[in-house]
Amino acid sequence: MRCLKHTIAAPYNRDLFFELCILTMRKIVLLCVILFAGCLVTKAQKKGQLTGKAKKEAQLYTADADYLFSEGNYYAALPLYLKLIKLDSNEEYYRFQAGVCYIYTDEKEKSIDYLERVYDEDPDLQDISYYLGRAYHINYRFDTAIVLFKKYLATRPSPDKKQLAENYIGYCQNAKLLVAHPMKVEIKNLGPIVNTAASEYAPVIAADESEIIYTYRGPLSTGGLMNPDMKHDTNGEYYEDIFVSHKLGDNWLAPEGIAELNTKANDASIALSTDGQTLFTFKSTVYDGGDIYVSTLNGYKWSKPERLGPNINTPFWEGSCSISSDGKTLYFASERPGGFGERDIYVSTRQKDGSWGPAKNLGKNINTKLNEDAPFIHPDGVSLFFSSEGWNSMGGSDLFYSTLNLADSTWSIPTNLGYPINSPGDDRYYVLNADGTRGYFSSNRNGGNGQQDLYCVTPGSHGLRPRLALTIGVVSSDEKPVSADIKVTDQGTDKLKGEYHSNSETGKYIIALTPGSKYKIAVQVEGANPHIEYLDVDSLTTYVKVDEDIHLYSPDYRKTHSITMSDTSNNLQMSLNQQVAEYKSGKHNDVYEATVYQRILNDYGTVDSAGITYNIEFGTYQHPGDFDSTKYRGIGKIESKTDQYGNTIFYVAGIHTLLDAEIAKYKVINADSSTKKNMRITVDNNGKREQISQYYVSEYRKDKENFVPDSTDKVVTSGGIVSLNTEDKTQGKGNGEIDTSKIQHDYGNVKVDGLSYKLELGSYDDTTQFKLGNLAKYGNITSEKLADGKTHYYIGSFRSLSEAQNFKTSLETSEPAAASAFIMVFYFQDKPKPVQQFFNAPCDPGPPQDFGALADKDLNDPAIYAQLINMAGSICVDGLVFRVQIGAYRHPENYHYKNLLSFVPPQPLVKQYPDGITRFTMGEFKSLKLAEIFRQRIKAKGTTDAWITAEYKGNRMLLQDLIKANFYTHSVN
């Protein structure tokens, strides 16, 4: 057998984060390469291929290419081998090396062409059958790969090479089974804004997905190309940096390097706490194999990373980890001796002094004789995700999950996340959002933007939804965001369950509470009375997210602002109960319908029936000009028709099977994700338009006899688009009850002076008909005779809509007779209004008023400003809008508003004015009161200098100018 220099080399392990090399070793490698290059050129000269200048050029290229290859830097080595092929197209060594390089790039399919040509010329060449098998495997040609690996084994390779080939035969066999039974998931590359031609990997997210932090390695790395001595070197490597991208609506914003964490050496993100306040990083030096460090977020800045103690870090490699939501348990990967394989997953528990206790191997139910890495423990505390080269991996590292049995503390046998989440390439670093709807991971699979990319998979969880209560909000003291200490204890035993902190700049906090306990949550800020909440999740059976802002006040502030303290200890519980009730009443229907649809797709997806075709409907528009067909080129011929109400339906028709329609639907969503909420598949049943649930109604009624299918009646939504839903969710629930979900989301936790809420129990001409006096045990009952001549009865008084809604839910649960009660809004001396009317009433200028008393007054004076809001808050004029200004800068590129990202989309309106100042505004409101309520929300997020501006027919005007013009009751000049 003729040999080339190249033999089986270990693939470049990006997850190792840092390849430790010292200068003397590099000199040895270079010397060997130069000696071999000389032999290679001599052989070529015998063929009469290279002489003179070409010979020297080949020697230089070969030396550099082989050194880079030996370092695992295949992307840098590949173009040099391609140049060598151009110099000497007959030298199979160059083609062999290039083919191997392609296996590790984003053009894996090219590896087959290069290696097949080498194999055709010399099938007995050392290692060629192994690497050609690798090329077939990575390109999903598993049967052919097995043939090549078996041929390689017949050559009787060394034991370590024999083991590699046997592993890959197993990978191919596993892959055939997994690919034959794909998971019903949608996988999306995070796109070119995040993923580049370089490497992005090891994503970590906060539980609410507000940001994604990841490791980057490429041209943007601090220091550029460097050698192991951290000196600039064009043949060197890029070192790792930590980047972050924030989420805006459904989109990720342009990422930024975290300057305070990045150095010239390798800095990698490996884990983020549930609340996003603690980041674990990886660093390696010449003195260790690589260690785990921890950093904390102070406002918007991360602290200097500190190395974890000796129970975690050893002289060996420790390079990935995950922390439990209560901060008490750390799962991490290590190459220390004594494990089941070279790299195993361990667990450590935090001790009373805050240090980490002795590490314990997770055992044979998790670890194998191969490598396990990248653990992620979900906030539910029982779902562990990790990567493994063992178990039933389909090649390289696959993603797996295991669940913890709380009864005996054992882990279940891992389950492969399946294809297409896993691929024949390396798939690692899986993290999952709190409700299990989306997972994120990194992969070097085909079709990416670069070497490694970040991907999102929907749904992210496999099996049952996580059981978890996630509480999110802002802690403020005297109406300013503040860093608070949050202690969670067991209500019965007073045992500490977790300690948390809100962000010092934004006040944001996130707490994940697992079922099985009744919790006491104490929020403490220096100078203010503590805030206590009680939350019973002992028997929680689903995931719930509770939004709850916590307001603390100092004694002086309460006295100055006449704030009375009410009992809020049950607010969280009432919010949780409401969400659980909504889940039980509505979510099960959604789950049922989704399950049936998946069954229909599996059973009937490929059926092509005479007279039956499927349409992809983009939406039904009141105004046809609003539809932009250019977004969907290549999807199919877009047609339109007018429905019986005069609206226009845009659709692609004539799709013969449901499966083809489903595929087309996802092409539309990929072209424009905003289409997803309005588009649907409908059936053309011999000329009759039907919903899927109408045509397949018998399938939906197999397990639910009283199932009522959707109709194709039109309903106009607030955005001007007609949907096919049977009820208009922005106007009502179909049973006479107003749906205030959007209002609740926007204004639920806002507290503004002069704004309060009460629960109306009823109104009567004859007061003797009021029969709910027994409800006084739940709160103070008041009555008022209004202009309609009736006496209206109210219970309670609440500063926020959420408090009122929670009280309403709790009252209805305890007292069915109160089921008809509804929330009324009280705003200064205005007539009380129902919630929907208060927030969405049509524009009304109201009676004439004289604002002369406020002219030239200082609106920064709280008393003057309150008087303006009191007099003018509810009045509006056509053509006049109010916006909240969040910033004004001569150099707008320096302005960041990360604390406000939860308010958008839409993004802040950015306008440059003639004075050279760029102003950032958010929101658009028809009345001053709504703008003021939104301004208070902005202030609660930390932008304390927000203020209101006005525009009339596109012209910016100051509030004082409008006051002088008395614009509320007269036309504006």
Side-chain angles (χ1 to χ4, degrees), residues 413-542:
I413 297 300
T415 300
N416 191 303
L417 292 193
Y419 171 82
I421 297 175
N422 285 314
S423 71
D426 286 323
D427 304 291
R428 298 188 178 98
Y429 310 110
Y430 194 84
V431 294
L432 184 67
N433 67 355
D435 65 2
T437 56
R438 282 179 296 277
Y440 296 86
F441 66 101
S442 56
S443 176
N444 66 347
R445 63 186 57 201
N446 288 336
N449 289 357
Q451 301 177 35
Q452 283 214 57
D453 279 2
L454 303 182
Y455 292 84
C456 175
V457 56
T458 306
S461 63
H462 300 262
L464 296 176
R465 197 181 192 200
R467 297 171 60 219
L468 179 71
L470 191 73
T471 62
I472 299 177
V474 171
V475 180
S476 63
S477 179
D478 295 346
E479 301 298 350
K480 295 180 180 179
V482 67
S483 175
D485 296 323
I486 305 174
K487 183 177 291 187
V488 179
T489 55
D490 186 288
Q491 187 177 335
T493 65
D494 206 34
K495 181 180 179 181
L496 182 66
K497 289 292 188 177
E499 292 183 283
Y500 307 85
H501 304 278
S502 60
N503 185 279
S504 59
E505 289 288 339
T506 66
K508 180 179 178 179
Y509 77 93
I510 300 178
I511 302 174
L513 301 174
T514 54
S517 294
K518 298 177 181 179
Y519 295 100
K520 175 184 176 182
I521 303 170
V523 184
Q524 180 69 60
V525 173
E526 185 176 354
N529 291 330
H531 178 95
I532 307 295
E533 293 263 9
Y534 296 94
L535 192 61
D536 181 0
V537 295
D538 191 25
S539 57
L540 186 68
T541 59
T542 185

Side-chain angles (χ1 to χ4, degrees), residues 690-691 693-694 708-714 723-726:
E690 293 181 341
Q691 289 273 33
S693 58
Q694 289 176 307
V708 179
D710 293 336
S711 73
T712 51
D713 290 343
K714 71 102 181 182
S723 71
L724 293 175
N725 295 326
T726 58

